Amino acid sequence: MSERTSGEKPKVLGIDIETFSNVDLTKCGVYKYVEGDFHILLFAYAFDDEEVKIVDMACGESIPQEVLDAVDDPDIIKAAWNAQFERTCIGHYLGRVLDPDSWRCSMVHAASLSLPLALKNAAKVLKTGQQKDRAGENLIKYFSVPCKPTKANGGRTRNLPEHDPEGWQKFKDYCLQDVRTERDIRKRLEAFPMPDQEWDYYHMDQRINDRGVQIDTELVEMAIACDLILSDEMGKRAYELTGLENPNSVSQLKNWLEGRGIPVESLGKKDVAAMITDLDKNGCDQEALDMLKLRLQMAKSSVKKYQAAQRCVCEDGRARGLFQFNGAAKTNRWAGRLIQLQNLVRNEISTLDEARELVKMGEFELLESIYGNAPDILSQLIRTMLVPKEGYEFIVADFSAIEARVLAWLAGEQWRLDAFRNGEDIYCASASQMFGVPVVKHGVNGELRQKGKVAELAC
């Protein structure tokens, strides 16, 4: 345990590491990344303003005991750009989860000031004396990710230091430079400190990400299999209806519809839905109607989140790293990552449990015959792939119009507060104020409610 007098600034250990794994970091996240064929290649560090040093772990060097002690010392701040990466990787190397409380993330601090999330871009904006070396990106591709086996490289799947000694030295220089650049940025940001409470929220966020959520991997696998079968069947049906080489092609389908006298401006979801309504009313061209309904079903991205969950789920069946603190530009909100849990389809059917069991049993035809629109059912089942551990349950809650309520209170808009207290529809109340007429949902001037909603959410 380090000792310092009261009021003294804590000692800071700046860290940057370069790593290798056969797992795709961008698609799978750092928690899955370290479960692959994972190695720390380089470990660059500096205490406070001391000289930056580097440990060449790929060539057999070991992290100094002084640094290992500092990692475990709660009184020494560990600082890094995107510190979650360094903390998770070093923790995996040491065989344990590192407590986040003594870690500070300069990227999070920069994001709180609406600065870029990329180190090189933040350094550029701040015009720091130390800039990130752009040449390092090619070195990362060479040393940190698997390579394609060829005759020229002897069939290897990984580039080691001995395969390019000169490049390896440049890679070490690049790693050292990152510590200097991040330290320079950190000093600039000290003029605009994040409140301690915000760091507490960040540490809570890190614990949430470390803990993750259990995934029903059986449901995930069967939902993906179901979608593959359905997509194949829908593709065949679309081909039978149109005779097109590629019924998914916008240009081909557009020409086909226009050839049948149906004008097409766009084949976006809303436009297709409008055309379906129009054709339904007029009761003509059943083939075009069926094709447009198929188009709507085929466009349903019902399995993307299942696929994301399959990619990032860890060996213990939990998906981690699903949120990024201060990740949403300019608002400081959490941003969703990997599965994007902040954007889930609502459950509309009352028989979710039954539909879920049908998918898990592989009864895809029965699912289609009962519900009619299987892709939509798969979308509604996404929430159910998140499961609590045994003996626990999830409680789902949400604040109603929380932004509108808080802003009304901050702005002293009493009429809005009264509307909330009286249980009124705030979109109708806003539209009524805007147009000077009564607005009732599904009633008098009901069409104006949407304009009130746009104004409400925009402001």
Side-chain angles (χ1 to χ4, degrees):
M1 183 77 71
S2 62
E3 295 182 4
R4 66 179 191 273
T5 59
S6 178
E8 183 184 349
K9 285 179 65 175
K11 194 172 187 178
V12 176
L13 171 62
I15 302 172
D16 184 74
I17 62 175
E18 300 300 339
T19 59
F20 172 88
S21 176
N22 61 343
V23 175
D24 189 321
L25 177 63
T26 57
K27 291 182 179 179
C28 303
V30 65
Y31 296 90
K32 182 72 173 179
Y33 178 81
V34 298
E35 289 186 345
D37 179 20
F38 169 77
H39 306 272
I40 297 179
L41 307 176
L42 298 170
F43 189 113
Y45 68 94
F47 286 98
D48 294 327
D49 292 327
E50 294 177 9
E51 178 189 357
V52 183
K53 300 176 182 178
I54 193 161
V55 182
D56 189 340
M57 298 176 70
C59 292
E61 296 180 5
S62 300
I63 301 174
Q65 190 60 46
E66 176 191 24
V67 176
L68 293 175
D69 291 341
V71 167
D72 286 331
D73 190 336
D75 288 336
I76 294 179
I77 297 298
K78 276 67 70 175
W81 190 270
N82 189 16
Q84 185 180 53
F85 180 80
E86 268 74 13
R87 184 176 63 84
T88 305
C89 290
I90 295 168
H92 181 83
Y93 170 77
L94 296 174
R96 61 184 187 273
V97 177
L98 298 181
D99 189 320
D101 282 356
S102 60
W103 285 75
R104 296 289 185 274
C105 180
S106 301
M107 182 180 75
V108 162
H109 193 170
S112 74
L113 300 169
S114 295
L115 290 166
L117 298 183
L119 178 60
K120 66 176 181 180
N121 295 336
K124 186 177 180 181
V125 169
L126 291 171
K127 298 186 171 116
T128 58
Q130 301 286 340
Q131 293 285 315
K132 186 176 172 70
D133 184 0
R134 292 181 180 179
E137 294 175 9
N138 292 328
L139 294 169
I140 288 175
K141 289 179 182 177
Y142 187 80
F143 290 112
S144 293
V145 299
C147 63
K148 188 176 180 180
T150 64
K151 286 185 179 181
N153 69 13
R156 68 173 183 265
T157 57
R158 180 183 168 191
N159 295 315
L160 298 172
E162 59 262 32
H163 296 133
D164 184 0
E166 185 179 346
W168 183 251
Q169 185 56 51
K170 289 179 181 178
F171 199 33
K172 292 169 74 170
D173 293 340
Y174 168 79
C175 190
L176 288 162
Q177 182 60 40
D178 270 4
V179 176
R180 297 187 192 100
T181 302
E182 191 273 331
R183 180 167 62 186
D184 210 352
I185 290 175
R186 193 168 67 245
K187 288 185 175 182
R188 296 289 186 94
L189 298 181
E190 285 175 357
F192 309 94
M194 262 177 56
D196 288 342
Q197 186 180 43
E198 284 298 303
W199 284 120
D200 290 342
Y201 290 148
Y202 167 70
H203 297 138
M204 176 185 70
D205 158 87
Q206 293 296 282
R207 288 189 170 84
I208 290 171
N209 278 307
D210 288 348
R211 185 180 299 118
V213 62
Q214 192 77 23
I215 299 293
D216 186 337
T217 53
E218 184 185 357
L219 173 65
V220 167
E221 289 171 7
M222 295 307 289
I224 292 171
C226 179
D227 182 76
L228 283 172
I229 293 171
L230 290 172
S231 296
D232 186 55
E233 290 175 354
M234 286 190 291
K236 288 177 181 177
R237 174 62 178 149
Y239 177 77
E240 290 170 1
L241 281 170
T242 64
L244 295 173
E245 183 181 343
N246 179 13
N248 268 323
S249 166
V250 172
S251 59
Q252 288 185 33
L253 183 56
K254 191 175 179 181
N255 290 336
W256 183 79
L257 289 167
E258 289 176 346
R260 302 174 76 93
I262 301 171
V264 181
E265 288 188 12
S266 165
L267 285 173
K269 290 181 182 179
K270 289 183 179 179
D271 299 287
V272 171
M275 283 191 282
I276 289 171
T277 302
D278 187 53
L279 286 172
D280 247 344
K281 284 181 181 177
N282 296 329
C284 63
D285 204 335
Q286 189 62 42
E287 287 186 348
L289 182 61
D290 289 345
M291 182 58 219
L292 287 169
K293 287 180 178 178
L294 263 179
R295 169 81 185 179
L296 215 52
Q297 282 188 294
M298 291 163 74
K300 191 82 175 176
S301 57
S302 55
V303 294
K304 286 184 179 178
K305 291 189 187 296
Y306 291 117
Q307 292 166 338
Q310 190 177 56
R311 285 193 300 269
C312 71
V313 68
C314 295
E315 292 170 357
D316 63 356
R318 300 182 77 84
R320 296 179 168 86
L322 304 180
F323 299 101
Q324 184 172 333
F325 189 73
N326 272 6
K330 300 179 180 64
T331 65
N332 282 10
R333 290 187 181 196
W334 269 270
R337 293 292 180 260
L338 301 171
I339 303 176
Q340 295 292 344
L341 294 184
Q342 291 169 304
N343 179 23
L344 296 176
V345 175
R346 289 185 180 185
N347 304 135
E348 303 290 348
I349 62 171
S350 59
T351 54
L352 275 176
D353 289 341
E354 291 82 355
R356 189 169 183 269
E357 285 307 308
L358 286 175
V359 172
K360 292 182 73 169
M361 291 189 298
E363 296 289 349
F364 306 145
E365 288 186 13
L366 187 55
L367 183 80
E368 180 73 24
S369 65
I370 292 174
Y371 295 99
N373 188 347
D376 179 61
I377 298 303
L378 291 180
S379 291
Q380 291 194 48
L381 289 175
I382 287 171
R383 289 175 185 261
T384 74
M385 76 176 177
L386 311 173
V387 292
K389 65 180 180 181
E390 191 174 348
Y392 288 76
E393 62 181 21
F394 286 146
I395 297 175
V396 182
D398 189 15
F399 291 111
S400 176
I402 184 64
E403 294 93 343
R405 294 171 190 267
V406 172
L407 288 173
W409 175 74
L410 286 171
E413 288 190 302
Q414 190 60 43
W415 70 269
R416 294 164 63 81
L417 295 172
D418 291 340
F420 282 122
R421 288 193 182 99
N422 297 330
E424 297 176 31
D425 185 309
I426 193 62
Y427 300 148
C428 289
S430 294
S432 181
Q433 288 282 330
M434 289 162 63
F435 297 102
V437 295
V439 178
V440 179
K441 186 177 181 180
H442 305 312
V444 60
N445 298 317
E447 70 281 359
L448 296 177
R449 181 180 181 274
Q450 181 63 26
K451 297 184 185 298
K453 181 177 181 179
V454 170
E456 187 73 27
L457 297 181
C459 294

